[in-house]
Amino acid sequence: MRSEGASGRHARPAGARAHTAETRSPGHVESLVSDPRLVEERRGQIVRAAVTLFSAQGYYTTTIQQIAREAGVSTGLVYQYFRDKDDVLLLALLLVLDSYEQEIPRRLEGVEHPIERLCTAIRTYCAIVDRWRDATLLTYRSTKSLRANRRTLIMDGEIRTNRIIEACIRACVEAGHIRPVNEQLLAYSHVMFCHAWALKHWALGGRYSLDQYVREGLRILVEPFLTDKGRAQDAIEP
Amino acid sequence: MRSEGASGRHARPAGARAHTAETRSPGHVESLVSDPRLVEERRGQIVRAAVTLFSAQGYYTTTIQQIAREAGVSTGLVYQYFRDKDDVLLLALLLVLDSYEQEIPRRLEGVEHPIERLCTAIRTYCAIVDRWRDATLLTYRSTKSLRANRRTLIMDGEIRTNRIIEACIRACVEAGHIRPVNEQLLAYSHVMFCHAWALKHWALGGRYSLDQYVREGLRILVEPFLTDKGRAQDAIEP
Amino acid sequence: MRSEGASGRHARPAGARAHTAETRSPGHVESLVSDPRLVEERRGQIVRAAVTLFSAQGYYTTTIQQIAREAGVSTGLVYQYFRDKDDVLLLALLLVLDSYEQEIPRRLEGVEHPIERLCTAIRTYCAIVDRWRDATLLTYRSTKSLRANRRTLIMDGEIRTNRIIEACIRACVEAGHIRPVNEQLLAYSHVMFCHAWALKHWALGGRYSLDQYVREGLRILVEPFLTDKGRAQDAIEP
Amino acid sequence: MRSEGASGRHARPAGARAHTAETRSPGHVESLVSDPRLVEERRGQIVRAAVTLFSAQGYYTTTIQQIAREAGVSTGLVYQYFRDKDDVLLLALLLVLDSYEQEIPRRLEGVEHPIERLCTAIRTYCAIVDRWRDATLLTYRSTKSLRANRRTLIMDGEIRTNRIIEACIRACVEAGHIRPVNEQLLAYSHVMFCHAWALKHWALGGRYSLDQYVREGLRILVEPFLTDKGRAQDAIEP
DNA sequence: AATGAATGAGTGTTCATTCAT
DNA sequence: TATGAATGAACACTCATTCAT
């Protein structure tokens, strides 16, 4: 025999079919389905729909039913792959952050000159932000809607991306192309500059093309720090 | 992507003792009460409560009943002074923006030197952000929850604040303290820098005191643009 | 400013409009409404509807909407007077138990002879069970559906009723009308006999009228214990 | 009062590969599988799991998926051997009743003296109830959750068990060990006494060991009815 | 002007049941 | 036969909004 009875449909009965998660790392999202390929596929399907809808309408005004419909699955299915709505948001936000973390390094491959690398990183970051403009806003709107321990995962993701920029800056400094500077804070300025393309697009979008925006930005956030050595090259111009 | 935000759980039934609004300018918030002094007082009472709660818990997780209780009034009274929850949010956000717009100029009074004025503006802006950290986050989280035409009012408010910074920069340039530069974009960088103190406080708060943050920031966002003339003074240090 | 944000509509945000209960005795059911007369009235209205429906259909198959409709109120109103469905069940069960506890003593008033008192108690108990037959079943079906600490309240109620019977028996023993006996266990037998009229009504109802049932029952559960003194009177016959 | 129980969250859509049943006797539980040995085995497997879970958590809070997991089979398989959840409950309850009906006669084998037979029957009944305490509660909690015509089957099972006790009593009466008495009602009292060990275990369990309980019970429910002849023997003591 | 009880549509979540494999 | 992923109707509970007083 078991433990005692429980009441209420919404109170998950003890030890029932509940997702096992929360015992693992908070980022681990357990699924009720076992086939890993299927889990991968369905999760992707649902999270993509969620990113679309959350981006367009926000987290609270998007319903699970809408997400299911957009993903082309039934309502119940969402709950086979996600513990709750919060869980969907978490993966949606991680998807966005991941795309930053994946794509910037990819674009840096083969780029040698430190200054060029820095500028490429910024340019790429802005381009991704431009492509995922609403999704970038979403990270600002909805991260606080996550349960506290999950929020940490989002922050970790952001930190990892920031480090890419920071590393580019450090390389420039070490090679003598950029004068000594608070690298971390400069990196934050660069990141904010990229995010601003989404956050303030209502103001900036009308006045600059993405290219112009990046070019003018580099003039403010990179050029002033160049040493004579750094200035020697035309790296700043694409 | 879909249509935009727009919330409202309950469609307003036709007729009824409704507010007349929507025929006026979108910023005009109609009240059912006529005595202007009372309107002023009650609205302040309610909006202050709303800012507190929205800042702490977010817009969607705050209920009108909570706001009423925090403000020490009845639920129904809120609807005598606001058309709907959206309306409360609008005024809450405007209250925050106003505090920027009011306080920065007040602190600039009597400050003569252009560089000193610019640095004071930034320093003050950061200080306000620090005091209203959650409220600043709120503007990023919740502006999109406003009905589209109201969002414009928020943007207008932001633009006005930006112009203060921009004017400081222009004055520096015109006086030859700062070399020619894209003033608007530099102003945006300054604003983003100030907001970042709230937006990225989880990362920055542990590493910098507010003072350090501002000092280091000025080194990145002001100093590099100083001309020899501008550099002559110690204006950058408080 | 407050604590951090919370997500999920169903996760009650901290310190929100939640019922304060659970800090008091588990039996205390806090209401969101302050006027005590109104609370009394509405609760009665709703609990009566709940008893009817739970009795007829069981706890889990009865919906809050049905209860609200039966009570002639809106769904939401139920939650102004009860914390959750469990809470409604608790009060419903207590209502049934209370009717036992109230009515038996009332009927005993004025009855002097100990044997007559005992028989009246049993007869009355059976009569109430007969009137609330489905409700009596309900206590057996649904007590385990209550949260554990609330279940205690139900047991307390039952114990109090049992004590009434027990006291009648003890009085008989002390007056020498009934020979020494395990009074507690005899009382339980009497109680089970009364409850059996509901529990086994499908078998007994066809064979006995309520009166016959009681008469025959007394022959088995009272008469054998009478002393010569106790048998002297005709108290056992109504 | 309303209509009766009847549950079923999902109305069966017309057509489909449905079980043929409902045309047969209500007790007949049709299976989609033909091999009788397999049917026997699988049903046993599943019903045992169901008894365990229903007993511990109740019918409505136990899900088919839980039962399947506990039984070590797939969800779908349950529906190859049972028409619906109701069906599982029916067999689960019958399994419990059967165990009464099987074991009591088995223990009576070889016991000759009528009084001893009666006491053995009661003692055995209590022992089974003790072993299946939660399951006994289950019959009281959940019988009403069955569709009406199936409930009859449960009643039939109970009646058969009651007849065993009744037969023991009649034998005692016919042999002159027990004085003439309403045999049927006395049998019911005996049955209720046995069931009470489960139903009121929260109150009785702390005060009596099973042995004490039975011994004291016999003193109330058997001894008083013994004739001088019946009293001659020590049959009542084990 | 102010109150706060009342409303009821809307949403997250569950789970009996089906069906392709 | 057996699996388990998929379905979707149903329900507890919330909260913006109204309105009688």
Side-chain angles (χ1 to χ4, degrees), chain A residues 8-146:
Chain A
R9 287 166 52 87
H10 289 202
R12 211 186 291 272
R17 84 196 256 273
H19 290 258
T20 28
E22 216 69 271
T23 49
R24 312 213 179 183
S25 84
H28 185 79
V29 174
E30 186 84 20
S31 158
L32 291 175
V33 175
S34 48
D35 177 16
R37 193 188 309 293
L38 189 56
V39 170
E40 193 66 16
E41 183 190 320
R42 289 282 188 238
R43 283 227 178 113
Q45 204 177 346
I46 294 167
V47 170
R48 278 192 301 276
V51 169
T52 303
L53 292 171
F54 288 162
S55 295
Q57 318 173 6
Y59 175 66
Y60 286 105
T61 43
T62 299
T63 71
I64 290 285
Q65 332 261 342
Q66 284 171 357
I67 294 173
R69 199 177 318 127
E70 175 84 19
V73 300
S74 69
T75 316
L77 199 71
V78 175
Y79 288 87
Q80 304 248 9
Y81 295 95
F82 296 89
R83 196 135 38 112
D84 51 22
K85 201 185 170 189
D86 209 74
D87 219 12
V88 179
L89 176 58
L90 174 64
L91 286 224
L93 293 175
L94 285 177
L95 181 65
V96 176
L97 292 190
D98 271 3
S99 76
Y100 296 156
E101 209 182 327
Q102 306 289 317
E103 193 160 341
I104 302 180
R106 202 181 312 137
R107 291 285 196 91
L108 289 181
E109 278 169 25
V111 181
E112 299 288 343
H113 192 284
I115 295 292
E116 207 186 326
R117 284 179 66 84
L118 174 59
C119 295
T120 303
I122 293 174
R123 199 174 292 118
T124 306
Y125 205 160
C126 285
I128 306 173
V129 166
D130 186 55
R131 264 211 323 280
W132 295 74
R133 216 182 309 143
D134 284 329
T136 300
L137 278 178
L138 179 65
T139 64
Y140 279 88
R141 292 180 72 186
S142 299
T143 298
K144 252 203 153 185
S145 303
L146 282 177

Side-chain angles (χ1 to χ4, degrees), chain C residues 4-227:
Chain C
E4 281 294 290
S7 69
R9 287 166 53 88
H10 289 202
R12 211 185 292 273
R17 82 195 259 275
H19 291 258
T20 27
E22 215 70 91
T23 49
R24 311 213 180 183
S25 85
H28 186 79
V29 174
E30 187 83 23
S31 158
L32 291 175
V33 175
S34 47
D35 177 15
R37 193 188 309 293
L38 190 55
V39 171
E40 193 67 17
E41 182 190 321
R42 289 281 186 242
R43 283 229 177 113
Q45 204 177 344
I46 294 166
V47 170
R48 277 192 303 276
V51 169
T52 303
L53 292 170
F54 288 162
S55 295
Q57 319 173 4
Y59 176 66
Y60 286 106
T61 43
T62 300
T63 72
I64 289 286
Q65 330 262 342
Q66 284 170 359
I67 294 172
R69 199 176 318 125
E70 175 84 19
V73 301
S74 68
T75 315
L77 199 71
V78 175
Y79 289 88
Q80 304 247 7
Y81 295 94
F82 296 88
R83 195 136 38 110
D84 51 22
K85 201 185 169 188
D86 209 75
D87 221 10
V88 180
L89 175 59
L90 174 65
L91 286 223
L93 293 174
L94 285 177
L95 181 65
V96 177
L97 292 190
D98 270 4
S99 75
Y100 296 156
E101 209 182 328
Q102 306 289 317
E103 195 160 341
I104 302 180
R106 202 180 311 134
R107 291 284 196 91
L108 289 181
E109 279 169 25
V111 182
E112 298 289 343
H113 192 284
I115 294 292
E116 207 186 324
R117 282 179 66 85
L118 174 59
C119 294
T120 303
I122 292 173
R123 197 174 293 114
T124 306
Y125 205 162
C126 284
I128 306 172
V129 166
D130 186 55
R131 266 212 322 279
W132 296 72
R133 216 182 309 143
D134 284 330
T136 300
L137 279 178
L138 180 66
T139 64
Y140 280 87
R141 291 182 72 186
S142 299
T143 298
K144 253 202 152 185
S145 303
L146 283 177
R147 283 201 268 283
N149 60 343
R150 288 173 170 181
R151 228 176 294 160
T152 323
L153 293 163
I154 299 302
M155 297 169 177
D156 290 349
E158 227 190 275
I159 287 176
R160 280 195 302 275
T161 305
N162 286 8
R163 278 210 250 274
I164 301 174
I165 305 288
E166 230 177 302
C168 290
I169 295 176
R170 190 167 14 258
C172 291
V173 173
E174 283 167 0
H177 297 299
I178 278 187
R179 62 171 168 81
V181 70
N182 185 328
E183 291 158 13
Q184 192 198 62
L185 213 55
L186 184 58
Y188 264 102
S189 297
H190 291 158
V191 169
M192 290 311 300
F193 172 77
C194 299
H195 289 180
W197 182 246
L199 293 172
K200 306 298 178 193
H201 195 264
W202 52 269
L204 302 168
R207 285 200 271 252
Y208 302 94
S209 72
L210 177 60
D211 265 4
Q212 289 168 342
Y213 180 71
V214 174
R215 214 173 314 125
E216 296 282 318
L218 295 180
R219 219 162 264 156
I220 286 176
L221 288 165
V222 174
E223 231 185 61
F225 305 96
L226 294 180
T227 57

Side-chain angles (χ1 to χ4, degrees), chain A residues 1-3 5-6 9 16, chain D residues 9 53 55-56 61 66 69-70:
Chain A
M1 301 285 163
R2 291 285 147 98
S3 71
R9 287 166 52 87
Chain D
R9 290 158 54 91
L53 292 170
S55 295
T61 43
Q66 281 172 26
R69 197 176 322 131
E70 174 86 19

Side-chain angles (χ1 to χ4, degrees), chain B residues 145-164:
Chain B
S145 303
L146 285 176
R147 284 202 266 282
N149 57 346
R150 288 174 170 178
R151 228 174 295 160
T152 325
L153 293 163
I154 300 302
M155 296 168 178
D156 290 349
E158 227 190 275
I159 287 175
R160 279 196 302 275
T161 306
N162 287 6
R163 287 227 185 89
I164 301 174

Side-chain angles (χ1 to χ4, degrees), chain B residues 9 52-53 55-57 61 65-66 69-70 134-135, chain C residues 1-7 9 13-17:
Chain B
R9 290 157 55 91
T52 303
L53 291 171
S55 295
Q57 318 173 1
T61 44
Q65 350 261 341
Q66 282 172 27
R69 195 175 324 130
E70 175 86 20
D134 284 332
Chain C
M1 302 282 164
R2 290 283 147 99
S3 71
E4 281 294 290
S7 69
R9 287 166 53 88
R17 82 195 259 275

